[in-house]
Amino acid sequence: MTIAVEHVAPEYVWTANNALVFAPRGMPPAAYPVLIHLLGRQEPGGRLLVTHGTIATEIGITRPKVTRALQHLAFARMVWKEGNGAYRLSPLIAGFRTPAEQLQAIGAMHDDDRFDHPDFQERYEQQIAAYEEEKQAKAAERQKRLEPPIDLAARRRT
């Protein structure tokens, strides 16, 4: 018995593969394998449909580490979240069908989204600092809600 197998050629994706050259100092170690994994499973144009759990399973790290890695890749503007389980790689590192498509996408980018910007490292560090401040403010707000309300009537009696 012979089984016929239909040969389907994978779609060709052209990319410059320079992502690690631009990786900022201070990224968590898990960000590198996550980035490489994303580069390997992208559609032309850099779109990805993948969950944190899938990435964690496929590269063998915990889901919280994947979440933190994606967060830092977003701070660096290397990966943008488009929705639940939908991400897009920056055109500077994404794969395209032709170099001309990549150049067109790069040309359409806003300067703030470029990680080949001279202030790239400083902007990355500012993003982290702003995130940490926001996290501390939310924690302080949660702590305030845990305190019992003031009983004004009891204070008046004393």
Side-chain angles (χ1 to χ4, degrees):
M1 178 169 151
T2 306
I3 299 174
V5 177
E6 184 179 330
H7 176 70
V8 179
E11 188 168 3
Y12 177 73
V13 176
W14 180 88
T15 183
N17 288 327
N18 58 359
L20 297 178
V21 171
F22 289 105
R25 293 181 308 277
M27 282 201 343
Y32 300 99
V34 168
L35 178 59
I36 291 169
H37 184 74
L38 296 177
L39 287 167
R41 73 179 346 237
Q42 66 180 305
E43 299 170 3
R47 187 151 194 262
L48 299 133
L49 297 174
V50 64
T51 64
H52 294 202
T54 302
I55 296 170
T57 301
E58 291 177 354
I59 63 176
I61 62 175
T62 65
R63 191 177 179 284
K65 284 185 180 180
V66 170
T67 300
R68 185 165 184 254
L70 286 169
Q71 205 170 36
H72 278 262
L73 290 168
F75 292 155
R77 296 180 169 96
M78 298 177 109
V79 176
W80 300 314
K81 184 170 182 163
E82 293 187 330
N84 281 346
Y87 298 90
R88 184 166 304 274
L89 294 170
S90 166
L92 292 166
I93 59 173
F96 289 84
R97 288 183 183 88
T98 66
E101 283 183 19
Q102 183 180 31
L103 291 174
Q104 183 180 7
I106 291 171
M109 288 177 70
H110 191 277
D111 279 347
D112 289 342
D113 290 332
R114 299 181 67 98
F115 53 81
D116 60 349
H117 192 277
D119 298 332
F120 169 66
Q121 183 69 37
E122 292 80 18
R123 291 187 315 171
Y124 171 73
E125 291 168 2
Q126 288 170 354
Q127 287 278 328
I128 293 170
Y131 171 74
E132 291 298 327
E133 285 176 19
E134 182 182 331
K135 198 165 80 171
Q136 288 175 355
K138 285 180 181 178
E141 185 63 33
R142 280 191 306 271
Q143 195 66 20
K144 281 183 190 175
R145 283 187 253 143
L146 294 177
E147 296 173 8
I150 299 172
D151 185 2
L152 297 176
R155 284 189 172 185
R156 284 188 207 123
R157 284 181 241 141
T158 57

